[in-house]
Amino acid sequence: MTPGGIAFDRVTFAYAGTPVLDDVSFDLPEGEFCLLVGPTGAGKSTLLKAVNGLVPNFTGGTMSGRITVAGRDVRGSTPADLADLVGYVGQDPLAGFVTDEVERELAYTAEQLGVAPAAMRKRVTEIVDLLGLADVRDRDLAALSSGQRQRVAIGAALVAGPSALVLDEPTSALDPTAADEVLSTLHRLVHDLGVTVLLAEHRLERVAQYADSALLLNGGKVTAGPVGAILAASPIAPPVVELGRLAGWPGPPVTIREARRHATALRSTLTDLHTPTATAEAPVGPPLLEARAVTVDYPGGVRAVNGVDLVAARCERIALMGRNGSGKSSLLWALQGTGTRSGGTVTIGGDDPAARKPAERRTLAGLVPAEPADLLYAETVAAECAGADRDGRVPAGTCAKILDDLVDGVDETAHPRDLSEGQRLALALAVTLTAAPPLLLLDEPTRGLDYPGKAALATRLGRLAEAGHCVVVSTHDVEFCAEFASRVVVLSDGEVVADGPARQIVAASPMFAPQVEKVLPGWLTVAEVAAALGTGDADD
Amino acid sequence: MHRPRREPAARMSTRTSTARPTMQTAARHTAHPVAWWAWALLLATAAGRTANPWLLLLIVAVAGLVVTWCRGSEPWSGAYRVFLAIGLSAIAVRMAFYIVFGGSDGPTVLFTLPSVTLPEWAAGFRLGGNVTAEGALAALYDGLRLATLLVCVGAANALASPRRLLRSVPAALYEVSVAVVVALSVAPQLVASVGRVRRARALRGNTSRSPANLMRTIVSPVLHDALDRSLALAAAMASRGYGRATGIPAPARRATSASLLIGLLGLCAGAYALLGTTTPAPLAWTAVAVSAAVAVFGIAFASKRVPHTRYRPDRFGARDWAVVASGAAAVAGTVLSGIYEPSALWPATNPLAMPDLPMWAAGGILLATAPALLVPSARGGTP
């Protein structure tokens, strides 16, 4: 066993009688960047938290086996005692910040450990330089961008000089640029500091290229191996691996560069087939939503949305893309009429939603907020549906039926907060659809969903659009956008910088292009390629 | 290395960093938070020693001047205005109480309210009845005094955030200060959470105002949220070493806590005795001195054993002493006036008369504007 890294030896963990980890053994050598892969709810967070003692100290449950980090036995220690050994970074950095300034936050762990002030200043300065935070070291945490915040959280975990760093979906709330910023920093840290990194992430397309090895956690069992081999066997894999699997490329390739090397043959096969560009549908029907010169100002002179024009018809599937803080949410809320609108006009089917009472407004436009749980109050799913029927003054059972059409197997007696992310989103969507709004708005719906979850969501929303809804989704998930959207609107600093058919817009932008497009220009998803190859031969 | 991709990010951070350059440099140069709080509390003490409206208004003006000149652009800098509003409402409440329940009265009746005869045991109170100019003036002075105290606290809040003050507390109070800092950061989060849940409620078309409905659709989700967040914070703090085994024996810890508590209670009692007029001054000063000694002993004893260290503690320099001294000048002025011109400090309202301006006190209070000159303006001098 290597003394430097993270080692699990026959670890079994059960929570309230339900086994989560079943006889898990693996051994990560020192300085390894390891990716933890698995479907939603497989227990990835549990495994990560076991490394620094949050499981079982904070969660309860029964654990057996042995976990060592840098040769030190972790079992039986509290997370506080392990603070000098393991750094832990969660999904939402704001939720874990203790202080309100960057430097104080970075110094917090060192203060707890009683590091001498001179050494602490040196350490904080080093971390600030390593993570590229020099510009913002005096700033309030609240004034930072989300990518900077996540880098502060990583820096704060590193100040104590831990041997291992554990990260639970550190980029799930970040836009592609910010995520890249965080991950490349992390990659450099592994080289510079020799920290062992164990990272769980749903958006594998972002992370896979940085990892040295991978762990697959499925059904409580762990398989360890090289990234390509693990992803090939995993039910959850990024599009480039799916493409490799489909085309039978050896490896399969994990990065775009590797895939491009293999792609020549497939490209020529595909050019003989009809290109999907021809199938791009033109918008139909008269406009449903007409927004002109919409402006949203917040107190303090912040202009979140600046003169946006947006016209959309029924059956359109629009993805609203842009960096964090580009005004996507503010625009959605302003379109729905509940949020602030400082200027401009919005009409939905000729009516201004902001002039209507909330109960009538929701029959014009429904919005599923970024936190779907905010829409849910009741103790059980059944009560929630009944409440939605009452709110919408529709016959009893309407909401339950919509939910049934959206997703199978939701336990009627479960508490909405106990549902999986995908089920909770479906319930919030069903509650919104009970009012039958022609315009449906969703704010960042893909957070916490794995690839099958996102594919299911794209299919559901596609069906709703076919049924005559106009669906607008704000997202920075390029892979979801490729599967879902017929039209893409890109926002930057509150203004529309691009608007057009999805295929054109994403192909023109290196930031928003999906992986398949990068390997096979002109094609967006693996499903498209598979459908095209289904008629041709796929044996190259 | 993935250099090329990092460019846009670097560009973005340089752009945002130029947004608040003045604040960054100024944050370093403002006075020590303890100095600001001492200055403001001394000013409040001066206000507590007089009911002269000129002096009180002068104190409000001095506090306002220093706040506009020296405050930064942090979120808490608006506290002065909030406290000014609270002060005005304090005057209004005091006035309403006088009109309804009465107080000291005089011969000049302004108007008469329908009165209620109270039973024997409530003699000395009235409900309604004559409202006199003398009584109203006395109530106004009283309300103004309370308002001035509040404004002084507001000035302290605007000049030095409570968080910065907490950073300067002795190491022994570390755990307490962390708890308070966490509580302070939870408050705005709670406000944000209420806003979010209310907007979501509008999405459901729910506009009912019945308490049961509000409880279920706002209070309960917000509490859910707060609970989730505090668990997340507790986990994060633990992961970062908060509450490591400290190695202080329990009896020693209890002894220090007890001496701290006794000391602080003694300080409160002593301060009350000092501000009041019934306790002989020597006794009050002794109480303050003894309890201060007990508290200092407790803190010093405990601080030696605390295993935590501080990152870049604020230093207390000559300028900070000057700020404190200028506040002390205001108190000294009222003390001198108390000796040489006591009647001007507590102007009579019956018969009605224009109060005089006590010179010693006014001079002392004017000296308290010194920080405006001593401490560089944090925002280039614009209010």
Side-chain angles (χ1 to χ4, degrees):
Chain A
M1 185 199 284
T2 336
I6 304 172
F8 275 50
D9 185 20
R10 307 191 60 106
V11 175
T12 299
F13 176 76
Y15 179 72
T18 324
V20 184
L21 303 178
D22 180 13
D23 200 18
V24 168
S25 296
F26 62 85
D27 187 358
L28 297 182
E30 183 180 335
E32 183 110 328
F33 190 135
C34 180
L35 179 61
L36 177 59
V37 188
T40 316
K44 295 194 294 294
S45 291
T46 305
L47 193 151
L48 293 180
K49 286 178 176 164
V51 178
N52 85 331
L54 281 174
V55 168
N57 276 301
F58 264 68
T59 57
T62 49
M63 184 178 252
S64 67
R66 198 174 130 88
I67 303 172
T68 50
V69 177
R72 209 163 107 191
D73 201 340
V74 166
R75 292 270 327 275
S77 307
T78 64
D81 294 333
L82 296 169
D84 56 336
L85 189 67
V86 185
Y88 178 85
V89 178
Q91 195 183 109
D92 178 9
L94 266 188
F97 284 154
V98 186
T99 65
D100 53 355
E101 280 166 43
V102 173
E103 273 194 293
R104 309 274 165 191
E105 188 62 31
L106 289 176
Y108 183 81
T109 312
E111 287 184 337
Q112 298 304 311
L113 299 176
V115 176
M120 184 155 38
R121 287 186 77 142
K122 179 169 159 285
R123 199 83 212 142
V124 168
T125 309
E126 279 168 6
I127 292 293
V128 161
D129 291 341
L130 262 178
L131 292 164
L133 293 167
D135 288 343
V136 296
R137 65 185 292 174
D138 294 330
R139 214 66 92 65
D140 275 4
L141 290 167
L144 300 187
S145 74
S146 47
Q148 288 168 332
R149 272 182 211 155
Q150 195 56 279
R151 278 186 288 155
V152 170
I154 293 172
L158 285 174
V159 163
S163 322
L165 187 61
V166 172
L167 303 102
D168 194 357
E169 299 194 24
T171 69
S172 67
L174 304 184
D175 59 57
T177 320
D180 215 61
E181 208 175 282
V182 168
L183 289 168
S184 56
T185 309
L186 207 55
H187 188 240
R188 204 173 62 226
L189 288 175
V190 177
H191 284 258
D192 290 356
L193 302 179
V195 188
T196 313
V197 173
L198 182 56
L199 176 146
E201 183 60 70
H202 277 307
R203 308 226 179 139
L204 297 172
E205 74 270 13
R206 293 173 169 180
V207 202
Q209 49 176 326
Y210 296 106
D212 303 320
S213 67
L215 292 176
L216 170 64
L217 178 61
N218 200 0
K221 297 282 185 190
V222 159
T223 330
V227 185
I230 290 294
L231 289 181
S234 160
I236 307 291
V240 68
V241 172
E242 298 273 5
L243 190 65
R245 251 191 251 174
L246 178 76
W249 292 333
V254 175
T255 67
I256 302 290
R257 280 174 56 199
E258 279 171 15
R260 276 184 189 145
R261 264 177 240 146
H262 295 285
T264 334
L266 182 59
R267 263 184 220 151
S268 58
T269 320
L270 285 171
T271 37
D272 300 340
L273 302 164
H274 82 110
T275 42
T277 337
T279 64
E281 64 254 73
V284 281
L288 168 75
L289 165 74
E290 276 196 81
R292 300 281 175 205
V294 174
T295 304
V296 177
D297 289 328
Y298 288 121
V302 182
R303 173 155 290 194
V305 178
N306 189 9
V308 167
D309 293 321
L310 186 64
V311 179
R314 282 176 182 269
C315 304
E316 275 199 283
R317 307 185 304 272
I318 302 177
L320 206 54
M321 304 195 78
R323 295 201 59 170
N324 291 342
S326 58
K328 302 189 296 288
S329 289
S330 300
L331 178 60
L332 285 188
W333 280 91
L335 292 179
Q336 203 273 337
T338 300
T340 339
R341 187 175 85 213
S342 321
T345 56
V346 174
T347 56
I348 298 168
D351 269 334
D352 182 354
R356 296 305 189 99
K357 289 208 175 90
E360 294 170 24
R361 198 185 293 153
R362 66 192 293 260
T363 64
L364 293 174
L367 172 59
V368 178
E371 211 56 78
D374 284 353
L375 280 185
L376 311 172
Y377 320 120
E379 306 290 316
T380 64
V381 172
E384 198 64 72
C385 288
D389 293 338
R390 271 196 310 279
D391 283 348
R393 294 183 190 82
V394 291
T398 311
C399 180
K401 189 174 175 311
I402 295 172
L403 179 62
D404 219 36
D405 289 344
L406 286 176
V407 60
D408 294 329
V410 177
D411 180 6
E412 290 255 297
T413 57
H415 194 287
R417 284 186 185 253
D418 292 338
L419 298 178
S420 75
E421 301 272 353
Q423 289 177 331
R424 200 178 316 135
L425 181 68
L427 179 58
L429 192 56
V431 165
T432 307
L433 287 171
T434 308
L439 176 64
L440 188 60
L441 310 158
L442 292 97
D443 193 2
E444 294 291 348
T446 60
R447 202 190 315 176
L449 298 184
D450 53 19
Y451 291 104
K454 279 189 242 181
L457 178 67
T459 317
R460 261 177 241 157
L461 294 178
R463 277 209 305 264
L464 288 171
E466 272 168 33
H469 291 274
C470 170
V471 186
V472 182
V473 175
S474 85
T475 182
H476 37 60
D477 189 324
V478 294
E479 303 298 337
F480 173 75
C481 172
E483 283 187 51
F484 156 76
S486 64
R487 175 176 160 197
V488 170
V489 177
V490 181
L491 280 187
S492 174
D493 283 333
E495 291 175 26
V496 174
V497 292
D499 181 356
R503 204 170 293 281
Q504 258 172 36
I505 301 284
V506 299
S509 153
M511 222 58 220
F512 295 131
Q515 287 195 313
V516 174
E517 217 280 337
K518 286 177 181 164
V519 179
L520 306 169
W523 301 79
L524 292 187
T525 64
V526 179
E528 260 176 23
V529 178
L533 290 180
T535 54
D537 50 347
D539 59 346
D540 49 304
Chain B
M1 294 290 142
H2 297 262
R3 279 271 156 224
R5 281 274 183 104
R6 288 187 53 76
E7 255 182 24
R11 206 164 50 227
M12 197 208 73
S13 47
T14 36
R15 194 194 61 204
T16 40
S17 71
T18 49
R20 293 165 42 176
T22 41
M23 195 217 121
Q24 279 175 36
T25 43
R28 289 284 156 83
H29 297 300
T30 184
H32 195 281
V34 170
W36 279 130
W37 278 80
W39 173 84
L41 292 179
L42 284 166
L43 217 52
T45 312
R49 296 183 60 86
T50 179
N52 186 306
W54 304 127
L55 288 183
L56 295 174
L57 288 175
L58 193 61
I59 290 174
V60 172
V62 164
L65 174 77
V66 174
V67 165
T68 19
W69 192 252
C70 300
R71 72 174 170 187
S73 48
E74 294 89 346
W76 57 83
S77 302
Y80 182 74
R81 261 204 268 164
V82 176
F83 276 82
L84 207 58
I86 298 176
L88 287 176
S89 53
I91 296 179
V93 167
R94 180 66 186 85
M95 202 50 115
F97 259 74
Y98 162 70
I99 292 171
V100 178
F101 297 107
S104 63
D105 279 320
T108 329
V109 177
L110 291 175
F111 54 91
T112 307
L113 288 176
S115 71
V116 179
T117 320
L118 289 177
E120 194 80 351
W121 51 265
F125 288 98
R126 67 167 172 80
L127 218 50
N130 290 344
V131 174
T132 64
E134 290 82 2
L137 198 61
L140 181 68
Y141 288 177
D142 215 31
L144 187 60
R145 194 162 142 230
L146 191 58
T148 311
L149 291 178
L150 286 167
V151 163
C152 289
V153 175
N157 269 294
L159 289 165
S161 91
R163 293 186 194 204
R164 274 194 65 210
L165 180 69
L166 283 168
R167 217 173 282 144
S168 310
V169 301
L173 298 178
Y174 188 86
E175 320 272 299
V176 182
S177 77
V178 170
V180 177
V181 165
V182 169
L184 284 172
S185 41
V186 163
Q189 282 176 0
L190 218 55
V191 172
S193 165
V194 169
R196 219 186 64 220
V197 169
R198 280 189 54 192
R199 293 211 303 179
R201 191 168 172 264
L203 290 182
R204 286 277 301 249
N206 188 338
T207 45
S208 159
R209 287 179 186 278
S210 83
N213 189 289
L214 286 176
M215 194 71 183
R216 195 168 56 83
T217 59
I218 293 189
V219 178
S220 142
V222 167
L223 288 182
H224 251 292
D225 222 41
L227 201 63
D228 283 351
R229 218 185 318 242
S230 34
L231 284 176
L233 184 62
M237 285 173 70
S239 313
R240 299 188 39 204
Y242 181 73
R244 278 164 80 92
T246 50
I248 304 175
R253 217 168 47 218
R254 262 181 245 132
T256 35
S257 309
S259 69
L260 267 179
L261 204 63
I262 293 167
L264 290 177
L265 284 176
L267 271 180
C268 291
Y272 179 80
L274 265 185
L275 291 174
T277 43
T278 47
T279 324
L283 185 62
W285 282 111
T286 320
V288 170
V290 167
S291 41
V294 171
V296 167
F297 167 76
I299 289 169
F301 184 71
S303 296
K304 270 194 191 156
R305 295 156 163 266
V306 170
H308 310 302
T309 44
R310 281 304 170 84
Y311 179 73
R312 293 229 314 232
D314 291 314
R315 305 244 173 261
F316 206 88
R319 199 184 52 187
D320 304 307
W321 282 115
V323 169
V324 175
S326 74
V331 178
T334 52
V335 170
L336 288 175
S337 285
I339 296 167
Y340 297 113
E341 40 193 353
S343 59
L345 277 187
W346 303 94
T349 53
N350 188 10
L352 288 172
M354 181 65 85
D356 294 326
L357 180 67
M359 292 324 291
W360 286 104
I365 291 167
L366 281 176
L367 276 180
T369 51
L373 303 173
L374 290 170
V375 181
S377 167
R379 300 190 304 176
T382 43

